[in-house]
Amino acid sequence: MEQVNEDTLGAARKVIAVHINYPSRAAQRGRTPAQPSYFLKPSSSLALSGSSVERPAGCELLGYEGEIALVIGKAARRVGMEDAWSHVAAVTASNDLGVYDLRWADKGSNLRSKGGDGFTPVGPALIPADAVDPAKLRIRTWHNDDLVQDDTTEDLLFPFARLVADLSQLLTLEEGDIILTGTPAGASVAHPGDVLEVEVSTADGGLTTGRLTTTVEEGTTPFADFGAGPKVDDLQREEAYGSREAAGLPAPASVLTPELKAKLESVATATLSSQLRKRGLNNVSIDGLQATRPDRRVVGLARTLRYVPNREDLFKTHGGGFNAQKRAIDSVNEGEILVMEARGEKGTGTVGDILALRAQVRGAAAIITDGGVRDYTAVAGLEMPTYFANPHPAVLGRRHIPWDTDITIACGGATVQPGDIIVADSDGILAIPPAIAEELVDDCITQEQEETFIFEMVKQGNSVDGLYPMNNEWQARYKEWEAGRAND
């Protein structure tokens, strides 16, 4: 196969990069674009395999992203998707390098953060485009010999032909231009002395680019004081490494502390409902559902998923692959509760045994849907409770399109926002605004102590008149009773 050389780099008048294209990366970033978006990298950022790249002096976060690069073979202007692939001459490996330290000053352009010299190595070999199926390519990245990225092009958000056709609607793709097609999950940060390798191959391994090798060096020349200098914070560290854990950062403090969770587990759902009503919150109950595990009580933070009514043309673009339903299931975290908006539609399933099991393996506390459940016996056999409207054997696509995640939804007649505290048991399901949870549960504990006193007084033969609710006399007696308990 032909090798990438200086002539290849010299022929590239434009280097265009796609922001998010792999479902695994979209799940990691927590956002899935409806349309592709792009940025430019200067052709001076191109480099050959075996080159070194400098982490600029004063910078901390040199990020790497293994990608498949398309090399344009003939000019493309306003081409259709059916013809777009014929304008691609070859595919090769690339590494979309950049320093997160300069993102703050780029205003989204990525010019300085991703445009440095050597920040776009490509090669080493070119695989002819007409010899491959663009939907059956594999991309792998190694960091100091550790395999850190491994994905295929089977379920891309935007297939390669769509990228070429889309870009050509506005600008002419010229012979030699290079398109970087996005990176899968696993991209992270490299340090001076590290070796990065990227390989593109056919899924069966029959054709390969070989490994694109880049060595990281430490820059020694500081930035001048007349331009924007490096600056990072924990958000940039998290994005560069892919997670707070990978960046060595502490997990963000959760409003649902273990102490608050224990308090919420200790009080009755009816008491919580009563205290919510006292605060004017009359519409926080998710109604009309049954539970696979009525013996269980769960408390957790809400994650949300929205289904919209099926429309055949939209199901083709949103229903398949790593869709919103699968992204929601595959990103739910330990102790979280996935709440689904299915519009009360009972004529199909909204979750089945495999995805429910995946949620349980991820550590989800529960699934709540106001739609149907498929594979009911298997779902009911899981340790994790599922709250649902009814069993139904039909597949999701009969009535629903999985549309979006982590947005405000409606479920069982209640509005639920991501981060709401959900309390669910056989008595009902409540969505509690996190800002009032601490005060709310403390008042619930007080209310239940008062009701324990009232119950004992009624048991002793006292009339409920003046006792339930308590008048001043009974309030005084309650305080004496409470003090006595505290001294016991």
Side-chain angles (χ1 to χ4, degrees):
M1 288 186 294
E2 183 180 350
Q3 299 293 299
V4 175
N5 54 34
E6 292 289 351
D7 290 339
T8 310
L9 305 190
R13 298 181 64 181
K14 296 186 289 296
V15 180
I16 303 170
V18 178
H19 280 110
I20 293 179
N21 198 14
Y22 284 80
S24 61
R25 182 69 161 177
Q28 184 182 46
R29 288 296 200 200
R31 61 183 185 273
T32 302
Q35 301 292 341
S37 60
Y38 313 92
F39 60 92
L40 285 168
K41 301 190 75 171
S43 57
S44 56
S45 70
L46 292 167
L48 296 172
S49 182
S51 301
S52 61
V53 65
E54 179 183 289
R55 187 182 73 177
C59 288
E60 173 188 335
L61 304 174
L62 176 66
Y64 61 83
E65 300 176 3
E67 306 202 13
I68 298 172
L70 311 182
V71 181
I72 298 299
K74 62 179 179 179
R77 178 70 166 118
R78 295 196 176 101
V79 301
M81 288 178 58
E82 67 283 352
D83 183 48
W85 189 245
S86 68
H87 291 261
V88 179
V91 300
T92 192
S94 64
N95 197 336
D96 182 14
L97 296 159
V99 281
Y100 283 72
D101 311 61
L102 295 175
R103 290 175 84 192
W104 71 273
D106 268 352
K107 310 300 182 185
S109 73
N110 288 342
L111 178 60
R112 299 184 75 217
S113 60
K114 283 185 173 263
D117 289 353
F119 277 21
T120 317
V122 293
L126 296 165
I127 301 176
D130 59 9
V132 300
D133 180 344
K136 294 182 179 179
L137 294 173
R138 185 183 187 188
I139 172 80
R140 286 181 290 176
T141 303
W142 292 264
H143 183 182
N144 294 333
D145 292 326
D146 291 331
L147 182 64
V148 292
Q149 292 183 290
D150 189 354
D151 213 331
T152 72
T153 56
E154 182 179 3
D155 293 320
L156 290 178
L157 300 175
F158 313 112
F160 294 159
R162 180 172 174 181
L163 300 178
V164 173
D166 183 40
L167 286 164
S168 78
Q169 301 310 297
L170 186 62
L171 54 91
T172 299
L173 296 172
E174 300 163 295
E175 183 179 353
D177 285 351
I178 293 174
I179 302 173
L180 309 185
T181 58
T183 194
S188 188
V189 173
H191 304 278
D194 288 354
V195 177
L196 303 169
E197 298 173 287
V198 184
E199 181 182 18
V200 173
S201 63
T202 52
D204 61 7
L207 296 173
T208 177
T209 61
R211 293 195 185 187
L212 167 69
T213 303
T214 306
T215 302
V216 181
E217 296 182 349
E218 179 70 272
T220 57
T221 304
F223 283 90
D225 59 7
F226 49 76
K231 184 168 64 176
V232 296
D233 55 25
D234 284 351
L235 175 61
Q236 294 305 319
R237 293 184 178 96
E238 180 181 353
E239 293 219 338
Y241 281 93
S243 69
R244 293 184 66 85
E245 181 181 9
L249 299 170
S254 171
V255 65
L256 188 59
T257 62
E259 295 77 16
L260 176 56
K261 185 171 183 286
K263 287 181 179 181
L264 288 165
E265 289 171 339
S266 73
V267 297
T269 306
T271 310
L272 288 165
S273 180
S274 174
Q275 287 294 330
L276 286 163
R277 283 182 59 83
K278 287 183 178 180
R279 289 161 172 79
L281 293 169
N282 298 308
N283 298 292
V284 291
S285 174
I286 299 175
D287 296 332
L289 306 185
Q290 54 186 307
T292 59
R293 294 295 305 272
D295 57 314
R296 295 287 302 279
R297 177 180 175 86
V298 294
V299 177
L301 294 180
R303 296 285 300 277
T304 60
L305 167 64
R306 180 186 177 211
Y307 296 113
V308 298
N310 186 26
R311 203 178 89 182
E312 287 75 8
D313 60 323
L314 295 176
F315 194 88
K316 290 179 181 178
T317 57
H318 289 77
F322 198 57
N323 58 33
Q325 179 200 42
K326 293 177 182 176
R327 293 196 304 272
I329 293 287
D330 221 43
S331 63
V332 67
N333 296 312
E334 183 81 27
E336 293 178 337
I337 296 175
L338 180 58
V339 186
M340 301 179 178
E341 175 185 339
R343 311 175 312 282
E345 170 55 59
K346 299 180 179 181
T348 191
T350 57
V351 68
D353 57 345
I354 293 175
L355 293 184
L357 176 60
R358 176 60 177 159
Q360 176 174 287
V361 170
R362 293 274 310 169
I367 291 175
I368 298 173
T369 173
D370 61 356
V373 164
R374 291 186 73 216
D375 312 306
Y376 171 75
T377 301
V379 173
L382 296 176
E383 180 70 17
M384 178 194 69
T386 294
Y387 299 81
F388 62 103
N390 60 283
H392 201 284
V395 296
L396 180 74
R398 181 170 183 250
R399 299 283 173 83
H400 301 295
I401 306 172
W403 196 255
D404 206 352
T405 63
D406 294 315
I407 58 170
T408 301
I409 64 166
C411 182
T415 296
V416 179
Q417 293 193 299
D420 280 348
I421 296 174
I422 304 297
V423 179
D425 61 16
S426 57
D427 284 336
I429 307 169
L430 297 173
I432 300 172
I436 68 169
E438 193 74 53
E439 172 195 303
L440 179 82
V441 75
D442 285 343
D443 286 350
C444 287
I445 291 170
T446 298
Q447 178 182 328
E448 292 196 346
Q449 287 176 342
E450 290 177 350
E451 290 176 350
T452 298
F453 169 75
I454 293 169
F455 186 85
E456 287 189 12
M457 294 304 101
V458 171
K459 189 176 180 181
Q460 292 175 14
N462 292 284
S463 170
V464 295
D465 184 24
L467 174 60
Y468 186 54
M470 290 186 287
N471 58 22
N472 290 337
E473 179 183 349
W474 278 111
Q475 284 283 356
R477 292 180 63 178
Y478 166 70
K479 292 185 183 300
E480 291 176 3
W481 174 85
E482 186 181 28
R485 290 186 61 179
N487 293 327
D488 288 343

